């Protein structure tokens, strides 16, 4: 029993781990299934490097195996020392030139892609969509430049068009990453604004993550990019520009909730455009994919969040116990009916992995 199991123990462990880990992740958050221009470029680069590595590996292993078999010590040759060769011009030329060629094959598309991905020159064009992205511990703020639209956590973009992002941070360094659509880019505190673009091919809800360790709740700093058709996007823009922040809710409980919200929460939060940017803008909150980026949008989760956000996202900046659980329940009724647009995550169609 011990025999072969012992010999192959590390191999079995490694294989099991590979199988186990390859099961991790969500389909709409992977660089291996590109759904956007940037992600596609990066995927091709990965494939080129893997192909080159495989090529080198196979050739080296073939030579290795050949030498091992062909030149092994044979019976009766125990004292035989083969002819010693020192220096061989042809061979040395070959193993210098081949790696140079391989590196060139890798370098040319890499440099090309680097410049392509950095090309955000068109962001100041009149009809370009440019969004100011601010990373905060532990949430994302999106301000559509010149459009008077402010959102958080859910970023709506049209398909088939380049949308430019100006990235910064209000506190520490974060990193904006939607693996299915584009590469990642740091958000820095201060004046150092980074720019990138998103171009989604297909409608869908794509998962994003902060990719720079930024504090105890870093792993909970999720967001979504919701790519909808250009027509739906125009509709969304129109809806978001015509929000009446004071609109009266229909139910009595939500009405009470509105008042409680205005009295207890508006010092940080905003509904409608603008807001101080110190807390997520809650416009269109009833259409969110998630609460705080991570919780299913149920009333129970929302009440739990309002009463004790620190239990859900340790170290976040929203104070606990601002209101009682009963009051929180009314506020939840109010917030969940804030549906300011007909365009919702469901508009993104089947490619939706909520
Ligand atoms: C001192 C400022 C402050 C006050 C007051 C405040 N919040 Fe917050 N709130 C925040 C911050 C900061 C976050 C972001 C937390 C995070 O995700 O890291 C937040 C997040 C939220 C979220 C999740 C938002 C999203 O984008 O999904 C909801 C809902 C919310 N707050 C509701 C309330 C309610 C209801 C009240 C009043 C009872 C309230 N907040 C009072 C600062 C505040
Ligand atoms: Cu982070």
């Amino acid at each position: 029993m011990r025999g072969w199991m012992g010999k192959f123990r590390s191999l079995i462990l490694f294989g099991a781990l590979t199988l186990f880990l390859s099961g991790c992740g969500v389909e709409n958050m992977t660089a291996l299934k590109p759904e956007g221009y940037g992600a596609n470029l990066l995927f091709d680069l990965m494939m080129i490097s893997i192909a080159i590595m495989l090529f080198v590996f196979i050739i080296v292993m073939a030579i290795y195996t050949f030498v091992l078999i062909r030149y092994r010590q044979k019976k009766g040759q125990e004292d035989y020392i083969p002819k010693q060769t020192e220096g061989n011009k042809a061979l040395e030329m070959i193993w210098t030139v081949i790696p140079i060629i391989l590196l060139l094959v890798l370098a040319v598309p890499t440099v090309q892609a680097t410049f392509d991905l950095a090309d955000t020159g068109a962001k100041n064009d009149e009809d370009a969509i440019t969004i100011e992205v601010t990373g905060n511990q532990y949430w994302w703020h999106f301000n559509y430049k010149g459009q008077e639209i402010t959102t958080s956590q859910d970023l709506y973009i049209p398909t088939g068009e380049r949308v430019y992002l100006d990235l910064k941070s209000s506190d520490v360094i974060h990193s904006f990453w939607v693996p299915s659509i584009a590469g990642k880019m740091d958000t820095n505190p201060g004046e150092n604004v980074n720019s990138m673009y998103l171009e989604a091919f297909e409608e869908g809800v794509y998962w994003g993550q902060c990719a720079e360790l930024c504090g105890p709740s870093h792993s909970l700093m999720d967001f979504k990019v919701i790519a909808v058709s250009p027509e739906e996007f125009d509709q969304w823009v129109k809806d978001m520009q015509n929000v009446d922040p004071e609109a009266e809710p229909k139910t009595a409980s939500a009405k009470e909730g509105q008042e409680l919200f205005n009295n207890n929460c508006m010092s940080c939060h905003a509904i409608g455009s603008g807001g101080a940017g110190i807390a997520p803008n809650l416009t269109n909150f009833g259409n969110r994919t998630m609460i705080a980026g991570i919780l299913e949008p149920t009333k129970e989760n929302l009440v739990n969040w309002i009463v004790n956000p620190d239990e859900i996202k340790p170290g976040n900046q929203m104070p606990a116990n601002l209101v009682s659980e009963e009051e929180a329940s009314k506020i939840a009724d109010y917030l969940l009916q804030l549906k300011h647009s007909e365009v919702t995550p469901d508009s993104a169609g089947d490619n939706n992995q909520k």
Side-chain angles (χ1 to χ4, degrees), residues 61-104:
M61 279 302 148
I63 296 175
Y64 173 73
T65 315
F66 171 75
V67 170
L68 214 60
I69 294 168
R70 174 75 176 75
Y71 297 106
R72 73 183 192 280
Q73 194 180 61
K74 297 187 181 89
K75 264 220 163 87
Q77 288 187 344
E78 282 81 3
D79 297 325
Y80 169 75
I81 295 178
K83 187 174 142 236
Q84 302 295 298
T85 310
E86 270 166 42
N88 182 320
K89 248 205 190 117
L91 264 182
E92 280 168 26
M93 287 290 277
I94 290 174
W95 67 53
T96 308
V97 169
I98 292 182
I100 289 178
I101 293 173
L102 292 180
L103 283 182
L104 279 177

Side-chain angles (χ1 to χ4, degrees), residues 138-139 153 265 268-269 279-280 288 292 305 313 316 318 322 331:
Y138 303 95
W139 57 281
Q153 331 292 20
C265 321
C268 295
H269 290 284
R288 286 287 186 80
W305 170 268
K313 265 191 188 176
N316 88 80
M318 174 162 152
L322 289 168
I331 296 178

Side-chain angles (χ1 to χ4, degrees), residues 174 210 212-214 218 221:
H174 303 278
C210 174
E212 179 75 48
L213 184 59
C214 58
H218 158 65
M221 197 169 153

Side-chain angles (χ1 to χ4, degrees), residues 7 11 13 25 45 59 63 91 129 154 205 281 286-287 342:
K7 245 189 228 155
L11 204 69
L13 203 75
L45 286 182
I59 301 264
I63 296 175
L91 264 182
I129 301 170
D154 281 2
V205 177
N281 186 304
N287 283 328
E342 326 162 2

